[in-house]
Amino acid sequence: MRVTCKECGEKARIQSTSDAIPGYAKMYCCCTNPHCGHTFVAEWSYRHTLNPGLQANQRVLVDLVRAMPAEQMQLFINQVTA
Ligand SMILES: [Zn+2]
């Protein structure tokens, strides 16, 4: 991740992060320009999903199967294991 100093426009270094909750982090940054030295806190946050990923897809599938009536679930299992 690239962070830019808003005071001088040079690259800043992330010195530490604090991520108290998933999807949000505070980044403690320091400008690398020796003539600036600006230190600041920037934020990173999750916005939205583009592709849910395999784990989310598997959770949806498991939830769907668990919600099936017993007979339908058995038919599904038979089809998958055939
Ligand atoms: Zn700077």
Side-chain angles (χ1 to χ4, degrees):
M1 169 177 249
R2 184 181 181 118
V3 178
T4 303
C5 174
K6 75 176 217 123
E7 294 297 321
C8 72
E10 292 293 321
K11 185 176 168 184
R13 180 178 298 118
I14 301 169
Q15 296 185 305
S16 65
T17 59
S18 166
D19 52 352
I21 58 172
Y24 173 81
K26 282 184 187 174
M27 302 177 296
Y28 295 85
C29 307
C30 180
C31 179
T32 58
N33 178 355
H35 302 291
C36 177
H38 181 212
T39 58
F40 56 96
V41 177
E43 295 178 322
W44 174 90
S45 67
Y46 167 84
R47 179 141 182 165
H48 63 269
T49 297
L50 298 175
N51 180 334
L54 294 177
Q55 290 185 350
N57 287 341
Q58 288 173 350
R59 278 195 305 269
V60 169
L61 182 58
V62 168
D63 289 345
L64 281 172
V65 172
R66 283 184 177 158
M68 289 178 177
E71 292 174 9
Q72 191 178 5
M73 184 187 295
Q74 191 57 55
L75 285 172
F76 176 78
I77 291 170
N78 291 345
Q79 288 176 341
V80 170
T81 57

